[in-house]
Amino acid sequence: MKSYRQLCSVAKALDVLGDRWTLLILRELLIQGPCRYTDLANGLPGIASNLLSDRLRSLETSGLVWREAAPPPVATTLFHLTERGRAAEPVVAALARWGTPLIADATPDDAIRSHWVPFSASVFLREHDPGGLPATLQLHTPLGSSVIEITADGVTTRAGTADEPDITLEGMPQVILRFLGGDLTLTEAHEQGLALRGDPAVLDGFHLGAA
Amino acid sequence: MKSYRQLCSVAKALDVLGDRWTLLILRELLIQGPCRYTDLANGLPGIASNLLSDRLRSLETSGLVWREAAPPPVATTLFHLTERGRAAEPVVAALARWGTPLIADATPDDAIRSHWVPFSASVFLREHDPGGLPATLQLHTPLGSSVIEITADGVTTRAGTADEPDITLEGMPQVILRFLGGDLTLTEAHEQGLALRGDPAVLDGFHLGAA
DNA sequence: CGGCATCCTCTTTGATACTG
DNA sequence: CAGTATCAAAGAGGATGCCG
């Protein structure tokens, strides 16, 4: 990207992060952790291979990403975030928060990946750290299941199922995302097919579920 | 901008905000408040006139900006942020925070506007709300002077001078930005020409000035 | 002057195909 | 698996012109 050539921290940040796809690549590395090239390509439906290659190289020279070349017999490259790359998480999180209402605009042919769901949810939960800790949320969508664990240490997510979740949410990704993002009330989400099992009181601390 | 077509709040946010110049236009409207076209053009050195026009139209249809058409004899247009537009402030603020260390990369021919300085500074101060309130900071740079007022209600900035500032910082914008952004210690900033008058203890609550 | 629209050139992107 | 190569289309940048 051509530099804006402005002595302003916002412009300088966008000189590095403002290229198309760049912040989505960071999203993937923040969610998935160290990734192979194909893992990234898979989490970024629509990206052209040459662009992914270009962006990774730019991110490397900007110091946000480093590549670990695993020697044979593994013979693969792993792309990692540096500390500076992880420091950009608040930017991605702010975008996730602001973008939540736009989920409603989704068209049926939008691509979706199951790991995007717990990420967006955790962004919201992270900024509404409640009193009643710890809590385990189980999500089920047609794409797969994931778990959000909220402890005093923070919010973590993973794919799969939990043994004894405090609450289970089942429904379409759109509805779960908008509900956990505060964009739908429990009543509205229920009307749109969200099924909730367990103790709804767990959600109270997050200012969710208000009628 | 072409949509990413991903059912993810980050991608949806970037569908709206990700175009070149868009977030810098928001920066200007957040800092300056309602602006005329030429005010914006002035705060965005380097933008082509047709792009500014295009972006403003996009932001209007996206619901982030509305235009107030003052009838003759004033016959000018004022561009305002909507509530939704102001809601994007955390995105700009996160970029400002992350971009602060990059101020060090500035080249001598980078454009600069005096109102960028107190903005970046206030972003940092806002997230380190200390105990010793209220406080008034006076900034002096070769480009002009500005005031940052910190009260229990928040952090506000304005151009000009204050009657009785608690502390006065004078120096090059780069140095003031990096110091108030936590990227330089007081000692380092002093070595780079920062002059400080008043009670340095005012800064303690912001975790600044540590040797 | 304020707020664009037009024209032109140059760069970036997107889609597809191919390679070590 | 991790990229290059190629090429058409879209977008950005710069100059200038227009109209109340």
Side-chain angles (χ1 to χ4, degrees):
Chain A
M1 162 172 282
K2 200 180 161 188
S3 168
Y4 287 107
R5 297 195 161 281
Q6 296 184 358
L7 186 39
C8 160
S9 54
V10 182
K12 290 295 176 200
L14 289 171
D15 282 348
V16 176
L17 304 175
D19 267 320
R20 192 161 165 80
W21 293 107
T22 297
L23 282 161
L24 294 186
I25 293 174
L26 289 184
R27 175 196 69 189
E28 288 304 308
L29 289 167
L30 285 165
I31 299 178
Q32 298 196 43
C35 282
R36 293 172 300 175
Y37 188 89
T38 36
D39 296 332
L40 288 169
N42 221 278
L44 295 163
I47 197 172
S49 182
N50 54 357
L51 278 190
L52 178 53
S53 178
D54 287 355
R55 294 295 182 266
L56 285 170
R57 219 168 295 281
S58 302
L59 286 168
E60 208 182 345
T61 58
S62 305
L64 311 211
V65 161
W66 63 278
R67 57 183 82 200
E68 176 192 7
V74 186
T76 192
T77 313
L78 276 181
F79 295 90
H80 299 252
L81 283 179
T82 62
E83 198 51 50
R84 179 77 178 140
R86 265 187 300 277
E89 202 258 359
V91 176
V92 179
L95 287 166
R97 281 294 296 131
W98 190 83
T100 298
L102 302 175
I103 291 284
D105 305 348
T107 63
D109 60 332
D110 278 0
I112 173 138
R113 294 294 179 268
S114 54
H115 61 269
W116 297 342
V117 179
F119 171 71
S120 296
S122 68
V123 165
F124 184 80
L125 298 176
R126 211 162 289 172
E127 69 182 34
H128 287 271
D129 226 13
L133 299 179
T136 302
L137 282 74
Q138 173 76 59
L139 308 183
H140 293 297
T141 76
L143 295 118
S145 300
S146 48
V147 182
I148 303 176
E149 314 244 21
I150 306 157
T151 69
D153 293 336
V155 180
T156 59
T157 67
R158 59 178 173 88
T161 56
D163 284 342
E164 291 187 15
D166 297 294
I167 196 165
T168 301
L169 303 174
E170 181 164 5
M172 297 300 288
Q174 295 91 315
V175 180
I176 292 183
L177 283 173
R178 294 181 64 203
F179 174 62
L180 288 181
D183 195 42
L184 289 179
T185 64
L186 180 53
T187 311
E188 289 166 342
H190 197 265
E191 284 163 5
Q192 298 194 31
L194 183 78
L196 194 145
R197 284 191 304 280
D199 181 11
V202 173
L203 298 172
D204 288 350
F206 301 110
H207 312 294
L208 292 172
Chain B
M1 162 173 282
K2 199 181 162 189
S3 168
Y4 287 107
R5 297 196 159 282
Q6 296 183 359
L7 186 39
C8 160
S9 54
V10 181
K12 290 295 175 198
L14 289 171
D15 283 347
V16 176
L17 304 175
D19 266 321
R20 191 162 164 80
W21 293 107
T22 298
L23 281 161
L24 294 186
I25 293 175
L26 289 185
R27 174 196 70 189
E28 288 304 308
L29 289 167
L30 285 165
I31 298 179
Q32 299 196 41
C35 282
R36 291 173 301 171
Y37 188 88
T38 36
D39 297 331
L40 288 169
N42 221 278
L44 296 162
I47 196 171
S49 182
N50 54 358
L51 277 189
L52 178 54
S53 178
D54 286 355
R55 294 293 183 267
L56 285 170
R57 220 170 294 281
S58 302
L59 286 168
E60 208 182 344
T61 58
S62 304
L64 311 211
V65 161
W66 64 278
R67 60 183 79 202
E68 177 191 6
V74 186
T76 192
T77 312
L78 276 181
F79 296 90
H80 298 252
L81 283 179
T82 62
E83 199 50 50
R84 180 76 179 142
R86 265 187 300 278
E89 201 258 359
V91 176
V92 180
L95 287 166
R97 281 296 293 129
W98 188 84
T100 297
L102 303 175
I103 291 285
D105 305 348
T107 64
D109 61 331
D110 278 1
I112 174 138
R113 295 294 179 269
S114 54
H115 61 271
W116 296 342
V117 180
F119 171 71
S120 296
S122 68
V123 164
F124 183 81
L125 298 177
R126 211 162 290 170
E127 68 184 33
H128 287 269
D129 226 13
L133 299 179
T136 302
L137 281 74
Q138 174 75 60
L139 308 184
H140 293 298
T141 76
L143 294 119
S145 301
S146 48
V147 182
I148 304 177
E149 314 245 22
I150 307 158
T151 69
D153 293 337
V155 180
T156 60
T157 69
R158 61 179 172 85
T161 55
D163 284 343
E164 292 186 18
D166 296 293
I167 195 165
T168 301
L169 303 175
E170 181 164 6
M172 296 300 287
Q174 296 90 315
V175 180
I176 293 185
L177 283 173
R178 293 180 65 201
F179 173 62
L180 289 181
D183 196 39
L184 289 179
T185 64
L186 180 54
T187 312
E188 289 166 342
H190 197 265
E191 283 163 7
Q192 300 196 27
L194 183 77
L196 193 144
R197 286 191 303 280
D199 181 10
V202 174
L203 298 172
D204 288 351
F206 301 110
H207 312 294
L208 293 172

